[in-house]
Amino acid sequence: MKGFKSEAYGYIRDMFVQHNMIKRTVLSFISVFILGFAISLFSLSGFGVDPYISMNMNISSAIGMRFGTYQLIINIIILIFVVIVAHRGLVGIGTVFNMIFAGYSCEFFEKLLSPLAESGALSVRIVFLAAGIVLMCFSSSLFFTANVGVGPYDTLSFMITHASNIPCKWTRVMTDISVILIGLVASGGVSAVLNGNFSEIKNIGVGTVITAFCMWPLVNFFNKYVSSKILAVDYESMSKDLAFFLIKGAMVKHSLRPVTDINNNADEKENNFKSAPFI
């Protein structure tokens, strides 16, 4: 019980001692709704959604459950696993926002925008896809740079990286491929592929490939020129590697300072990163 109380106190401390916490929390909350909007655009485009969402959409459809409800349930399961196994630094108020609101906001915006997609015109679908890419990159950048928690699914690749020393970009590829395959099996997509009926594959397409492998340059652009400016965080001085920023930076949130303070204390912060344990 004593250990549990100490860990609970640690969660609360890490969540509220961070510099400019109110602003970070609000922007994290907003970013999740932008993410839901982006996902709805991907879905309405018919070109496929990101790997994790594709799995959840396919499974929820197969079992007859609302997508938002199923996503919430699977996120809770992942979150419990992360809390038990990983360091608390990966979990924060942003994790809760992502867990609860991403799926339901996607459902809301998809229903709201569905009349615009009824024509099925290729030009409309391409516009939806392009807008979805830009908005998803911006929302991801804003959410990660706010640094008030990692999305439940995102924690898995970070945990695998820590356990195996495999670079995070490759563990993310591993998790993305895994959830795509699970979604294919659940939706009958494997049979469709084997029979050459690619039109029957649901929620997986060029949009899925783009979100899995091609978005990080645009995310990094938003990190450098938009999110870091909004949040007054010197993103580049912390690390050029987003995974390093999240895994190490989350452990020492209390050391985050405004840009001017960060520049004056770079050496001290680097020593903090190196000494911060993951578990």
Side-chain angles (χ1 to χ4, degrees):
M1 180 61 69
K2 184 178 180 180
F4 175 79
K5 290 181 179 179
S6 176
E7 188 72 7
Y9 171 75
Y11 271 106
I12 296 172
R13 182 193 64 196
D14 283 356
M15 285 171 58
F16 290 99
V17 298
Q18 184 170 323
H19 165 70
N20 218 351
M21 184 63 190
I22 294 177
K23 184 177 182 180
R24 290 172 181 273
T25 300
V26 171
L27 291 174
S28 175
F29 183 75
I30 293 172
S31 74
V32 171
F33 282 90
I34 297 175
L35 174 64
F37 184 40
I39 295 171
S40 70
L41 292 174
F42 271 98
S43 180
L44 291 171
S45 75
F47 288 115
V49 295
D50 74 85
Y52 180 58
I53 297 298
S54 73
M55 178 188 74
N56 291 338
M57 283 185 170
N58 284 338
I59 294 178
S60 62
S61 178
I63 64 178
M65 181 182 292
R66 282 184 61 183
F67 161 66
T69 301
Y70 176 80
Q71 172 131 324
L72 175 60
I73 292 173
I74 196 67
N75 280 341
I76 290 174
I77 293 172
I78 294 175
L79 183 61
I80 292 173
F81 173 73
V82 171
V83 169
I84 293 173
V85 176
H87 192 286
R88 63 176 179 263
L90 289 173
V91 178
I93 189 66
T95 309
V96 178
F97 292 157
N98 186 287
M99 176 181 71
I100 297 175
F101 297 114
Y104 287 120
S105 62
C106 171
E107 283 189 336
F108 169 77
F109 286 118
E110 187 167 0
K111 184 177 181 179
L112 184 68
L113 298 172
S114 58
L116 299 176
E118 287 180 353
S119 66
L122 180 61
S123 58
V124 174
R125 295 172 59 200
I126 292 175
V127 169
F128 278 9
L129 177 63
I133 291 171
V134 173
L135 287 174
M136 182 170 285
C137 289
F138 173 61
S139 65
S140 297
S141 171
L142 196 60
F143 181 82
F144 288 139
T145 309
N147 192 28
V148 289
V150 182
Y153 173 66
D154 297 319
T155 62
L156 297 179
S157 58
F158 298 134
M159 290 167 62
I160 295 172
T161 292
H162 174 72
S164 64
N165 291 322
I166 299 173
C168 190
K169 63 181 179 180
W170 296 117
T171 58
R172 183 56 183 250
V173 170
M174 291 164 53
T175 57
D176 283 349
I177 291 175
S178 297
V179 296
I180 288 173
L181 292 176
I182 293 171
L184 277 173
V185 172
S187 64
V190 174
S191 299
V193 171
L194 294 177
N195 293 327
N197 299 322
F198 297 102
S199 61
E200 296 182 7
I201 298 175
K202 302 176 181 178
N203 302 309
I204 297 173
V206 64
T208 310
V209 176
I210 291 173
T211 56
F213 303 108
C214 307
M215 286 178 39
W216 282 118
L218 188 53
V219 172
N220 285 328
F221 171 85
F222 281 120
N223 287 339
K224 181 177 180 180
Y225 295 104
V226 183
S227 300
S228 61
K229 308 300 182 183
I230 295 173
L231 290 160
V233 171
D234 191 344
Y235 178 84
E236 289 189 331
S237 74
M238 296 178 70
S239 175
K240 294 181 179 179
D241 185 344
L242 183 59
F244 179 87
F245 170 62
L246 290 170
I247 295 174
K248 297 295 186 182
M251 304 311 114
V252 287
K253 292 177 181 178
H254 58 281
S255 72
L256 292 183
R257 305 177 178 89
V259 174
T260 54
D261 291 342
I262 288 176
N263 290 333
N264 293 332
N265 295 278
D267 293 338
E268 177 187 347
K269 180 169 72 284
E270 180 64 19
N271 291 332
N272 286 337
F273 283 163
K274 292 178 179 178
S275 62
F278 183 68
I279 56 175

